[in-house]
Amino acid sequence: MASEIRSEMENDIERVLLTEEQLRQRVKELGAQISADYVGRDPVLISVLRGSFVFMADLARQIQPYCRVDFMAVSSYGSGTSSSGQVNIQKDLTEPIEGKDIIVVEDILDSGNTLYYLMQVLQARNPASIRLATLLDKPERRAKPIKSDYVGFTVPDEFVVGYGLDYNERYRNLPYIGVLKPRVYEK
Ligand code: PRP
């Protein structure tokens, strides 16, 4: 039964863009890089829900120094395929970040509308430092001047899902990143 459900979901995937092994390896490298950069600093990893929950869980476990985690939820996409520039904070952080070293953890930097806004909101709270880690980067789509400090993979402008990324809240549980068949979102 479980495999039938999985194959129905996988049938919506045109091709695998990043395999589980590629993701594991790259997240390990990013973790090593962040660990080296933050020795003795106790950074706060801020996961921007919901898309980043899988990346956050894997990345946090590859970071060696002490670190803390906190969570924010914002929305920008609705059910379409591109962000509107209208960003809503649906859930704020639990702890203040003033004087802390912050690493914002996101699944994808696309138009940049969401993170451009969010980084300004967080910067205004006077953290000691603020950096951005994004698993995926789609520079072709950028509408705002923003760059990620730690990028997992630069990807083409295709509709990608899995490993936390959704379409209409589905596919977040795919263990790899795949390109969605256009028939799914053209319906
Ligand atoms: C996705 C992603 C980023 C944003 C990137 O979130 O997690 O927050 O879109 O797009 P942008 O660079 O064009 O602004 P989404 O709004 O889909 O919510 P989710 O994390 O709950 O999937």
Side-chain angles (χ1 to χ4, degrees), residues 48-52 74-78 83 106-115 141 164 166 169 172:
V48 186
L49 298 170
R50 285 168 274 182
S52 71
V74 301
S75 70
S76 62
Y77 268 17
S83 73
E106 257 288 23
D107 52 332
I108 186 164
L109 181 54
D110 192 346
S111 71
N113 286 327
T114 309
L115 283 165
R141 299 246 308 175
D166 76 309
E169 297 307 324
R172 294 194 196 275

Side-chain angles (χ1 to χ4, degrees), residues 87-186:
V87 178
N88 301 309
I89 294 184
Q90 298 176 321
K91 178 208 173 304
D92 209 335
L93 297 171
T94 306
E95 304 285 337
I97 56 168
E98 186 170 353
K100 305 260 176 66
D101 291 308
I102 303 304
I103 305 172
V104 176
V105 178
E106 257 288 23
D107 52 332
I108 186 164
L109 181 54
D110 192 346
S111 71
N113 286 327
T114 309
L115 283 165
Y116 186 76
Y117 171 82
L118 189 60
M119 295 299 267
Q120 284 181 331
V121 168
L122 296 175
Q123 192 71 64
R125 298 180 188 182
N126 296 318
S129 69
I130 182 162
R131 283 189 179 171
L132 177 59
T134 56
L135 179 68
L136 306 182
D137 187 7
K138 265 189 194 175
E140 284 173 57
R141 299 246 308 175
R142 200 78 85 251
K144 290 282 188 338
I146 178 165
K147 269 191 171 174
S148 182
D149 300 286
Y150 303 97
V151 177
F153 300 90
T154 298
V155 294
D157 185 13
E158 293 181 288
F159 203 97
V160 290
V161 294
Y163 198 76
L165 290 107
D166 76 309
Y167 173 65
N168 268 352
E169 297 307 324
R170 285 178 162 175
Y171 312 101
R172 294 194 196 275
N173 55 319
L174 270 183
Y176 55 82
I177 290 182
V179 177
L180 199 58
K181 286 181 181 166
R183 65 155 172 81
V184 177
Y185 54 86
E186 283 171 0

Side-chain angles (χ1 to χ4, degrees), residues 16-82:
V16 176
L17 187 66
L18 298 165
T19 65
E20 287 184 72
E21 184 48 38
Q22 284 174 300
L23 290 163
R24 193 177 304 116
Q25 183 53 36
R26 186 65 187 129
V27 172
K28 197 173 170 186
E29 288 168 7
L30 289 177
Q33 202 183 337
I34 291 171
S35 298
D37 291 350
Y38 285 84
V39 172
R41 287 169 64 190
D42 206 353
V44 186
L45 304 180
I46 297 178
S47 167
V48 186
L49 298 170
R50 285 168 274 182
S52 71
F53 78 105
V54 180
F55 178 43
M56 174 72 156
D58 285 350
L59 182 67
R61 284 176 291 174
Q62 296 298 331
I63 290 177
Q64 306 301 325
Y66 289 114
C67 74
R68 298 155 198 263
V69 297
D70 206 341
F71 299 86
M72 263 185 117
V74 301
S75 70
S76 62
Y77 268 17
S79 60
T81 57
S82 64

